[in-house]
């Protein structure tokens, strides 16, 4: 999503589970002898593997904000994707999506900046399904600081946060501290933090590279992942929102002078050079068709 204005908080209080109910559940388990299913062991890999998570959906109908007419866009809603890169030398999470506490809540409760937020799956649950706890994640990369990308970021404060100074400064500015979603990432302030400048080859072998793509925000970044069978993939972050922006060469007015055009040229040139694919995380067509975790790309 684009703007970062006011709006209501997405977060809510969680209803406490009654003690009696918890006891009843425990008794039921004891009586039936059923055991809680164990998560499968964390994946061990010999080459890079990429998981895609469903991190929510934004209900939105103003493509004009992205300089597109309604009839030029097949689907104005936006998917919200998060990605886990499992490399033989470590695990990296790219983006954290909408806050997990939105799961099961009605749309009317959670409209922020004109974007309705819907969530069917938690990020933590999808990670647990493949045996990954937050403690297993070595590196956290956020494409940028907008609320649809940082909703669960605070849970990964034990990871090393790879970030550009412009975005980090913005996230911990006095203005940002007043945003209702500040507490969703506040814990990162004390994370082990590595400030990046330019592109950054995370594991030193060229397979996972953070790409500086400023414009949407000052510290916006994309991620190149070189996969053995799938080939090179660039995760766009919000370099594009709708696939039609790429086809029709459009961008929001406010990004015309902030570097988005240059960043797009850089990525298109890279894609041509490495013969790679661009994955536009907010594109509904992509969101619908991409293979999601627990399946993976390698
Ligand atoms: Zn976004």
């Amino acid at each position: 999503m684009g703007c970062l204005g006011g709006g209501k908080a997405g977060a809510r209080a969680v209803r406490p589970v009654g003690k009696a109910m918890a006891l009843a559940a425990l008794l039921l388990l004891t009586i039936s002898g059923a055991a809680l299913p164990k998560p499968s062991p964390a994946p061990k890999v010999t080459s890079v593997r990429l998981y895609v998570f469903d991190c929510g959906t934004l209900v939105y109908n103003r493509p004009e904000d992205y300089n597109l007419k309604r009839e030029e866009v097949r689907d104005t809603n936006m998917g919200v994707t998060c990605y886990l890169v499992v490399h033989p030398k470590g695990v990296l999470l790219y983006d954290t999506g909408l806050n997990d506490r939105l799961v099961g809540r009605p749309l009317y409760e959670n409209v922020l900046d004109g974007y309705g937020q819907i969530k069917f799956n938690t990020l933590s649950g999808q990670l647990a399904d493949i045996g990954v706890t937050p403690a297993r994640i070595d590196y956290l990369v956020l494409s940028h600081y907008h609320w649809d990308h940082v909703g669960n970021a605070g849970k990964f404060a034990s990871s090393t946060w790879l970030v550009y100074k412009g975005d980090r400064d913005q996230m911990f500015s006095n203005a940002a501290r007043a945003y209702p979603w500040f507490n969703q990432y506040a814990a990162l302030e004390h994370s082990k933090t590595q400030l990046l400048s330019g592109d950054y080859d995370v594991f030193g072998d060229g397979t996972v590279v953070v790409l500086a793509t400023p414009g949407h925000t000052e510290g916006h970044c994309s991620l190149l992942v070189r996969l053995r069978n799938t080939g090179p993939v660039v995760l766009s972050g919000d370099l594009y929102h709708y696939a039609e922006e790429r086809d029709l060469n459009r961008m929001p007015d406010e990004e015309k002078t902030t570097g988005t055009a240059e960043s797009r040229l850089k990525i298109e040139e890279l894609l041509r050079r490495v013969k790679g694919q661009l994955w536009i995380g907010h594109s509904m067509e992509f969101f619908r068709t991409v293979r999601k975790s627990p399946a993976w790309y390698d």
Side-chain angles (χ1 to χ4, degrees):
M1 46 68 72
C3 57
L4 186 76
K8 275 188 168 176
R12 304 163 297 102
V14 174
R15 187 181 302 170
V17 177
K19 266 189 188 166
M21 239 172 97
L23 193 65
L26 191 68
L27 275 174
L28 195 68
L29 270 179
T30 312
I31 292 163
S32 67
L36 289 172
K38 280 189 182 156
S40 50
K44 284 198 170 49
V45 299
T46 52
S47 65
V48 181
R49 189 183 280 190
L50 176 61
Y51 291 88
V52 182
F53 301 117
D54 168 358
C55 280
T57 303
L58 296 170
V59 177
Y60 195 65
N61 57 14
R62 293 199 315 245
E64 296 82 4
D65 290 352
Y66 298 87
N67 266 322
L68 288 160
K69 295 193 185 81
R70 177 63 192 88
E71 60 271 24
E72 289 174 329
V73 182
R74 265 163 294 177
D75 190 334
T76 61
N77 298 322
M78 297 182 185
V80 181
T81 37
C82 306
Y83 305 87
L84 189 79
V85 181
V86 183
H87 182 281
K89 287 185 182 164
V91 178
L92 180 149
L93 182 67
Y94 179 71
D95 278 344
T96 66
L98 305 182
N99 190 270
D100 278 355
R101 294 204 303 186
L102 297 172
V103 167
R105 303 309 306 175
L107 181 60
Y108 57 76
E109 276 185 6
N110 295 299
V111 180
L112 191 51
D113 297 333
Y115 295 78
Q117 304 172 71
I118 300 180
K119 230 174 129 79
F120 295 103
N121 304 296
T122 61
L123 173 58
S124 56
Q126 291 172 88
L127 286 168
D129 284 347
I130 54 169
V132 176
T133 59
R136 274 281 324 267
I137 293 173
D138 302 293
Y139 300 101
L140 173 68
V141 178
L142 303 168
S143 62
H144 64 297
Y145 58 78
H146 288 163
W147 52 259
D148 53 322
H149 299 261
V150 303
N152 302 293
K155 290 178 189 155
F156 305 97
S158 64
S159 312
T160 297
W161 184 25
L162 307 178
V163 62
Y164 293 88
K165 187 173 183 302
D167 267 28
R168 190 184 183 283
D169 286 351
Q170 185 66 38
M171 289 169 80
F172 295 102
S173 65
N174 286 335
R177 287 173 197 277
Y179 291 140
W181 55 91
F182 176 75
N183 63 1
Q184 296 176 1
Y185 66 78
L188 296 183
E189 192 166 16
H190 305 293
S191 285
K192 185 178 171 196
T193 301
Q194 194 174 336
L195 290 178
L196 307 182
S197 61
D199 299 343
Y200 180 67
D201 182 351
V202 180
F203 299 104
D205 61 1
T207 56
V208 183
V209 182
V210 183
L211 302 166
T213 47
H216 185 61
T217 66
E218 191 184 332
H220 182 278
C221 61
S222 306
L223 191 74
L224 168 66
V225 186
R226 290 177 183 265
L227 298 165
R228 187 180 284 171
N229 295 311
T230 309
V233 171
V234 172
L235 311 177
S236 73
D238 282 9
L239 187 64
Y240 298 93
H241 292 73
Y242 297 117
E244 289 88 347
E245 285 173 71
R246 189 182 182 204
D247 303 335
L248 301 170
N249 192 24
R250 307 281 174 81
M251 69 181 67
D253 282 339
E254 64 270 22
E255 289 187 35
K256 285 181 176 168
T257 55
T258 58
T260 292
E262 292 79 0
S263 291
R264 286 183 177 182
L265 280 175
K266 166 182 167 170
I267 294 304
E268 296 297 348
E269 194 279 324
L270 171 73
L271 291 168
R272 271 194 299 275
R273 185 158 44 84
V274 303
K275 297 186 171 56
Q277 313 172 36
L278 184 67
W279 286 5
I280 300 175
H282 278 316
S283 157
M284 281 303 277
E285 173 75 10
F286 168 74
F287 188 51
R288 187 171 57 247
T289 54
V290 71
R291 193 187 305 154
K292 294 168 196 73
S293 183
W296 66 80
Y297 292 86
D298 61 9

